[in-house]
Amino acid sequence: ILVQVEDLLSKTFQGIKSLSEREASGLCSGHQLAPRDHFPSPVIQKALFLYSQLHDLLAPASQGKLEDHLRRGAHHWFGRIVRDAQDQCQGERGALGDTAGYLAASKIFDALRQELELDQALHRSGLLPAFVNFPEISNAQYAELLYDHLGDLLVSKPPDDFSDALDQLFRSASLYETQQSKFGLAGPKGKSAFVLFSDHVQTWIQRDSTWLCAKLTAKEVSQEISQAEKTLVSLHSDHHGHHGHGNGHLYLIPLFRKQNGVFDKVQAFLGKYSGIVKRWPDWVPVLEQSCCKILRQLLRSLGEA
């Protein structure tokens, strides 16, 4: 019987935000949140009374065990949030490609802001013992799992471009971290969205610039220039035959560059990182160094061509 009671108490505290008297089992399935009008559940006091009959609430071991139940509950809620966010983006995965993961991550940040509010509501209710700082316990668990999840995403699916989905992730992360500060909470030491991206953006810029320099060979550059010149000469000849002059069409050279050629690649490189550099200027020096490297290689290739 004691084992069964302990198991019941474990499920109760690990699902403390899912307690609902509307449910036959007393818990919402899948670690879904209880309805707002039934939150927090008054049954918490009864569960604590039962817990106190089995454990001395003044003993550090008993307090640690209770906090561990709440920590496990935060782990389960985070898993539910991730699944919900990924399900919401499932239908858009075809259109978004790899950026669907970043859109899902932004939804996770948004959902966690709501969790922080609910944690504060439960804390203010006074149902939990004074030694339990529920928002701090759950926030530490959310943040640890969140930044691990984002770090894995950045490693497994580095973005090919900084699209709207990634920009939305930046905004959501900023709002989440602002709300943490508002409630006097902090994430794991040395971890934030900025720090995570700092660890990767420099690598991405250097990777892309190295790849681009490898493409800026004299052969590719000369082929592109030659193709543009041939197209322009043909256009000039046609116009000269009809109108007697064609010098006014030199401005059309950019229109006849090889599609997705070396010059387009350089422009795409600059466009790719412009958004992130505008948001976080700390990466400007890295981008400048890479651009100088690209420019030197391009000039060298143009000279050889």
Side-chain angles (χ1 to χ4, degrees):
I1 291 174
L2 286 175
V3 170
Q4 291 178 355
V5 171
E6 284 285 2
D7 184 57
L8 177 62
L9 289 172
S10 171
K11 290 178 180 178
T12 299
F13 292 119
Q14 289 182 27
I16 199 166
K17 290 196 295 186
S18 303
L19 296 173
S20 174
E21 295 178 356
R22 292 181 180 177
E23 303 292 329
S25 65
L27 280 168
C28 298
S29 61
H31 291 278
Q32 295 294 323
L33 295 172
R36 291 267 182 166
D37 56 336
H38 278 230
F39 183 86
S41 174
V43 79
I44 295 173
Q45 285 187 327
K46 297 178 181 178
L48 277 170
F49 175 76
L50 183 56
Y51 186 83
S52 67
Q53 301 305 299
L54 301 177
H55 305 280
D56 179 7
L57 288 180
L58 298 179
S62 299
Q63 295 178 2
K65 186 174 182 178
L66 179 57
E67 290 176 348
D68 188 55
H69 286 319
L70 298 174
R71 199 172 292 109
R72 288 173 181 268
H75 188 104
H76 292 316
W77 290 314
F78 182 81
R80 183 260 305 169
I81 289 170
V82 171
R83 289 191 298 272
D84 288 351
Q86 290 174 341
D87 289 345
Q88 289 176 30
C89 296
Q90 190 65 40
E92 304 173 61
R93 191 169 298 278
L96 295 171
D98 286 344
T99 59
Y102 292 97
L103 181 60
S106 71
K107 293 181 183 296
I108 294 171
F109 275 107
D110 293 338
L112 284 176
R113 287 186 5 240
Q114 298 179 14
E115 295 287 337
L116 293 181
E117 291 179 359
L118 289 171
D119 294 346
Q120 291 293 324
L122 179 54
H123 184 63
R124 290 193 297 266
S125 71
L127 292 173
L128 290 171
F131 65 82
V132 174
N133 189 332
F134 183 71
E136 194 172 274
I137 292 170
S138 55
N139 174 70
Q141 188 67 26
Y142 300 150
E144 182 179 347
L145 295 168
L146 174 64
Y147 294 122
D148 284 347
H149 175 80
L150 185 55
D152 290 342
L153 181 63
L154 293 172
V155 171
S156 62
K157 294 183 178 178
D160 291 329
D161 60 76
F162 293 94
S163 58
D164 292 341
L166 201 57
D167 194 55
Q168 184 174 334
L169 172 59
F170 293 149
R171 289 196 298 270
S172 297
S174 178
L175 289 171
Y176 167 72
E177 290 168 358
T178 299
Q179 188 153 6
Q180 278 184 309
S181 300
K182 172 186 171 184
F183 293 137
L185 303 169
K189 187 176 180 181
K191 284 191 178 181
S192 67
F194 173 76
V195 171
L196 276 176
F197 276 90
S198 293
D199 292 342
H200 293 85
V201 169
Q202 182 170 346
T203 303
W204 296 336
I205 292 176
Q206 292 171 343
R207 174 204 63 190
D208 288 350
S209 66
T210 300
W211 175 85
L212 188 53
C213 284
K215 291 289 183 182
L216 297 178
T217 61
K219 181 180 178 181
E220 284 204 41
V221 171
S222 61
Q223 284 178 347
E224 185 165 341
I225 293 174
S226 175
Q227 182 179 351
E229 287 177 341
K230 286 179 181 177
T231 307
L232 188 62
V233 167
S234 175
L235 178 69
H236 173 74
S237 299
D238 292 343
H239 250 304
H240 187 71
H242 289 91
H243 301 288
H245 65 85
N247 295 333
H249 297 283
L250 293 176
Y251 68 91
L252 293 173
I253 288 178
L255 298 180
F256 300 106
R257 294 201 310 256
K258 178 183 176 184
Q259 188 175 10
N260 199 30
V262 291
F263 295 104
D264 286 343
K265 288 184 174 72
V266 174
Q267 187 173 2
F269 173 82
L270 294 173
K272 175 177 179 178
Y273 291 103
S274 62
I276 197 168
V277 167
K278 285 177 182 176
R279 180 173 291 276
W280 284 318
D282 303 63
W283 290 308
V284 168
V286 179
L287 186 59
E288 285 179 342
Q289 292 171 10
S290 297
C291 287
C292 288
K293 179 181 176 183
I294 292 168
L295 182 59
R296 284 194 298 270
Q297 179 64 30
L298 179 57
L299 290 173
R300 188 182 302 116
S301 300
L302 282 170
E304 294 172 357

